Structures are given as C-alpha cells and as structure tokens.
DNA sequence: GCTGTTGTCAACCGAATGGTTGAGCAAATC
DNA sequence: GATTTGCTCAACCATTCGGTTGACAACAGC
C-alpha cells in the first residue's frame, strides 16, 4: 500500500486482530518487540512487520534504547479515526431512537393485549 | 479475506478513500449502483466490488427494486467501530491534557520573561 | 419480441498482504 | 574477543485486493 492517505493507512492498520491486540497491550504501556511477540504463535519478524504497519498508520511511535526498540501507543491517529466516525454518529443515534420508538410501541400494544385478556 | 471477524471486516472496508466517499454519499440517502459509480472514473463493476466489501463490513444494506439494487447506510457497524475506539479515548484525551499543561507552562515562563524584561 | 438499462459474475492482471526462513547488525555479557 | 540477545532486512510464497474486460441476467419500454 504505497503513498496511501493517512486515514486509510490508519484504518488498514486497525483491520487486523493481531495488530489490535498489540495496541491493547501497548495501552498498558511501552513494550519491546520481543514482549509484544510473546503471546503470539508467530515469528518475531512477522510481529516486526505488523509494527511497521502500525507505525505507517501513525498508531505507534518507536524509540531506541540499546539494541531494544520499544514501542508506545500514539493516540493521535486513533483520535483522527474517531473524528471521521464522528461525522456519522447522528446516523446510529437516530437509528437507536427509532428502535426505542418501535420497542415502546410494541410494549404499548402488548399492554393493550394484556388489558383485553 | 475469508471468514474474518466483523470488526476487521469493518475497518478493512473503511481503509479505502473510494469506499469512504461512497459512505459519505449514502449518508445523504439511498442510492443505486449507477448513481454511486457516477462521480468516479471507474467501471461499475469496480464499484460493485467496493459495495460488496462495504456489505461484508456491515456498513451498507441492499434492497431490490426491479433491476435496481439500491444501497443504504447501515450505521451499526460504524457504531461498533466507534465503540472499539472508545476504549482508547482516554489516551488521546490524556495526551491533550498534557499538551495543555505544557502550553500553560510555556506561557507562564514567557510571562516571567516578560516581567524580567 | 427486440432493445436499452442496471447490475452481477467470471477470468484475468499487477501489486500488496501476511506469513515463512536465513542472514546479518549492534549492543550487552561472558 | 567470542557469544548471546534483540531486532531488521531480503527473498520467497500463497493469498487477497483493486482494477480491467467480456458475457450475461433481469427488468422496462418501445
């Protein structure tokens, strides 16, 4: 995925359960590649690639201490994904409202049935 | 991408500018494949494929009227993506708070400098 | 019953993804 | 200085992606 726009790179990085688990781990604080690879049945090289995808998506930042290359969460990209979703919030809230209306009506009708019985 | 988990399918569907533009169009209301393809310099087959990806991501629903196959936004998947992001909200809010603190400190220091001048 | 419109399916293509193994680098340790 | 540890790079592989073209199905209108 060469020269993609930032938002696409972010969403693409999020579209993988392994990478989302890595992010979950990083939410608890900095970690090295070794530590991140630990829980997975996968080579460290594979994890290294996942980290590169996360980095391109702006989701993590990497530092350098000795031969270790610790990663930390970079929340700005997450916020930008959230900002994009924000533009659609009213859609699911409206849908939720309609659902509530419907449930209320159904309940009213059931109450009527009950009174007739 | 076979038998992916729903959240991954949703994020993957969002990771393409064409598909996000399609969603933006659908936010204004139902549209046919032809109408959706209109603004793009791309075959209708390509759009049809994008729609299939969006459908697999749970982002759109399709009905059937005559030979037309209109699409509409399905906001639940967007909400679920948002719910996932919700778990990280505190991270970017904390970061924002730290930035505010920093800016406040810088401003204080500049005020000191000013008083010394 | 033709003809045009709308849309999908199938096959193909080049590029990207997600994994592997093997080699190698750089810093810490013996 | 030799070895181990932590990590990346390069090459390879199968699969998926994003687009194309061509054929065709289903319905509408003449």
């Amino acid at each position: 995925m060469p020269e993609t726009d930032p938002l696409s790179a972010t969403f693409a990085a999020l579209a993988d359960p392994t990478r989302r688990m890595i992010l979950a781990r990083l939410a608890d604080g900095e970690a090295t590649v070794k530590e991140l690879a630990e829980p997975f049945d996968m080579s460290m090289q594979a994890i290294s690639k996942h980290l590169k995808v996360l980095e391109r998506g702006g989701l993590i930042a990497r530092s350098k201490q000795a031969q270790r290359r610790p990663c930390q969460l970079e929340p700005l990209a997450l916020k930008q994904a959230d900002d994009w979703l924000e533009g659609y919030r009213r859609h699911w809230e409206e849908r939720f409202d309609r659902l509530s209306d419907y449930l209320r009506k159904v309940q009213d009708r059931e109450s009527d049935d009950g009174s007739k019985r």
Side-chain angles (χ1 to χ4, degrees), chain A:
Chain A
M1 205 186 267
E3 60 203 78
T4 330
D5 63 296
L7 195 52
S8 295
T10 300
F11 279 133
L14 293 177
D16 182 289
T18 303
R19 288 194 289 264
R20 289 197 304 276
M21 281 198 256
I22 290 176
L23 289 180
R25 167 65 186 79
L26 290 178
D28 289 343
E30 215 174 61
T32 68
V33 180
K34 180 88 178 310
E35 290 165 349
L36 291 171
E38 197 68 41
F40 299 101
D41 186 21
M42 203 182 295
S43 68
M44 204 170 57
Q45 290 94 321
I47 299 296
S48 198
K49 282 193 183 184
H50 279 301
L51 293 176
K52 207 174 287 186
V53 175
L54 288 168
E55 198 174 12
R56 283 213 321 142
L59 290 157
I60 64 171
R62 324 197 56 177
S63 41
K64 200 171 196 177
Q65 59 186 38
Q67 78 272 45
R68 247 140 277 173
R69 207 108 356 163
C71 308
Q72 58 181 349
L73 201 61
E74 188 57 77
L76 183 57
L78 286 169
K79 171 165 170 41
Q80 278 157 355
D82 191 70
D83 287 347
W84 183 87
L85 282 173
E86 188 63 31
Y88 293 87
R89 170 158 287 125
R90 62 181 182 86
H91 287 280
W92 68 74
E93 283 176 350
E94 278 167 17
R95 157 107 14 147
F96 178 72
D97 289 347
R98 278 200 297 278
L99 182 60
S100 299
D101 288 354
Y102 170 75
L103 289 178
R104 194 163 40 69
K105 274 176 199 158
V106 168
Q107 197 161 6
D108 287 356
R109 203 176 314 140
E110 281 178 354
S111 301
D112 285 359
D113 285 0
S115 68
K116 276 177 199 164
R117 238 176 246 136

